[in-house]
């Protein structure tokens, strides 16, 4: 079965510093990969997704992620953190053989230090 | 345009009571999904609808849970004889199609269910 591992349930970075949130998937066949963000008391919002086109995917709010098949990773990055980036981030996967359900990682709570 | 809406936003109920949670998908979206987010745990898939049929019910945790959908619109998730472990945020999502090619799922704000 597909699974997703997010390393670090809590990450703190200073405002203006690099944001790096890690995600690894387990699959012999590259799946579809997603990053969602959840702001306090709100639903999930799609940041970006990988669907086997370009391996470097750019999303909203300055975030991007790179699909690395050799490392089975899809880490999320942003060059310069902003206070408004404080939220919980979820990596998720859909297998590429027609299964529609998202399998989520356990989430990473990002705190921005002023 | 309007996003996915869910009602109620909060529901407090007593153990043993039945509850109904409602989801209005984005107009024109044929696929609809229910997920559950329990405190301290990740999001769990519950059920998926394509139109008004449910090809995948594999995530429903017990026979106390059921869901239905009217055409390609509203869906209702029903939990009978609620238990304290049912306390969670129930999230609904919809997508334009379910092509099996990673269609984007758009999420509603969720219903926070508390079972006392």
């Amino acid at each position: 079965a597909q699974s997703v591992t997010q390393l670090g349930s809590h990450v703190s970075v200073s405002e203006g510093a690099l944001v790096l949130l890690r995600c690894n998937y387990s699959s012999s066949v590259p799946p579809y990969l997603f990053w969602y963000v959840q702001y306090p008391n709100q639903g999930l919002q799609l940041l970006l997704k990988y669907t086997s086109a370009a391996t470097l995917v750019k999303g909203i709010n300055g975030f991007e992620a790179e699909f690395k098949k050799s490392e089975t990773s899809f880490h999320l990055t942003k060059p310069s953190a902003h206070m408004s980036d404080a939220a919980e981030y979820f990596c998720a996967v859909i297998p590429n053989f027609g299964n529609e359900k998202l399998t989520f990682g356990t989430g990473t709570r990002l705190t921005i230090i002023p | 345009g309007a996003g996915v809406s869910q009602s109620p936003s909060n529901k407090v109920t007593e153990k043993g009571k039945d509850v109904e949670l409602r989801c209005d998908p984005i107009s024109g979206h044929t696929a609809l999904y229910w997920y559950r987010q329990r405190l301290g745990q990740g999001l769990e898939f519950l059920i998926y609808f394509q139109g008004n049929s449910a090809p995948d019910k594999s995530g429903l945790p017990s026979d106390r849970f059921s869901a239905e959908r009217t055409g390609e619109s509203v869906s209702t998730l029903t939990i009978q004889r609620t238990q304290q472990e049912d306390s969670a945020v129930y999230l609904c999502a919809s997508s334009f199609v379910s092509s099996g090619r990673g269609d984007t799922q758009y999420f509603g704000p969720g219903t926070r269910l508390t079972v006392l």
Side-chain angles (χ1 to χ4, degrees), chain B residues 33-50:
Chain B
Y33 313 79
W34 284 98
Y35 295 86
R36 178 170 72 172
Q37 186 176 24
R38 288 189 285 185
L39 188 64
Q41 301 185 32
L43 290 107
E44 310 166 74
F45 167 82
L46 297 178
I47 187 170
Y48 146 64
F49 286 91
Q50 176 58 45

Side-chain angles (χ1 to χ4, degrees), chain B residues 54-75:
Chain B
D56 191 346
K57 307 178 184 179
S58 62
L60 295 178
S62 75
D63 59 7
R64 296 187 295 104
F65 288 72
S66 63
E68 62 180 23
R69 185 179 185 197
T70 305
E72 292 184 351
S73 60
V74 171
S75 175

Side-chain angles (χ1 to χ4, degrees), chain B residues 17-19 21 34-38 44-47 49 57-68 76-90 113 115:
Chain B
K17 300 283 190 183
D18 297 352
V19 295
L21 312 179
W34 284 98
Y35 295 86
R36 178 170 72 172
Q37 186 176 24
R38 288 189 285 185
E44 310 166 74
F45 167 82
L46 297 178
I47 187 170
F49 286 91
K57 307 178 184 179
S58 62
L60 295 178
S62 75
D63 59 7
R64 296 187 295 104
F65 288 72
S66 63
E68 62 180 23
T76 303
L77 178 69
T78 302
I79 309 173
Q80 296 179 308
R81 305 180 303 281
T82 52
Q83 303 294 313
Q84 289 182 332
E85 63 263 27
D86 300 333
S87 296
V89 176
Y90 289 82
L113 175 66
V115 182

Side-chain angles (χ1 to χ4, degrees), chain A residues 24-111:
Chain A
N24 288 85
Y25 65 91
S26 65
S27 173
S28 58
V29 177
Y32 299 110
L33 292 154
F34 303 78
W35 275 100
Y36 281 87
V37 61
Q38 187 175 34
Y39 298 103
N41 299 314
Q42 296 187 28
L44 293 164
Q45 180 180 5
L46 180 70
L47 276 177
L48 49 80
K49 70 177 184 180
Y50 168 75
T51 57
S52 74
T55 56
L56 182 62
V57 182
K58 295 188 183 297
I60 62 171
N61 301 338
F63 284 93
E64 62 182 38
E66 186 171 8
F67 172 74
K68 292 187 176 181
K69 182 178 178 181
S70 61
E71 299 177 6
T72 61
S73 69
F74 191 57
H75 302 330
L76 182 71
T77 61
K78 181 174 180 177
S80 177
H82 191 272
M83 295 300 294
S84 62
D85 295 328
E88 187 146 22
Y89 292 79
F90 292 93
C91 184
V93 62
I94 288 178
N96 70 344
F97 47 86
N99 190 321
E100 302 296 339
K101 61 188 178 186
L102 284 163
T103 298
F104 285 88
T106 52
T108 298
R109 184 167 299 279
L110 177 64
T111 300

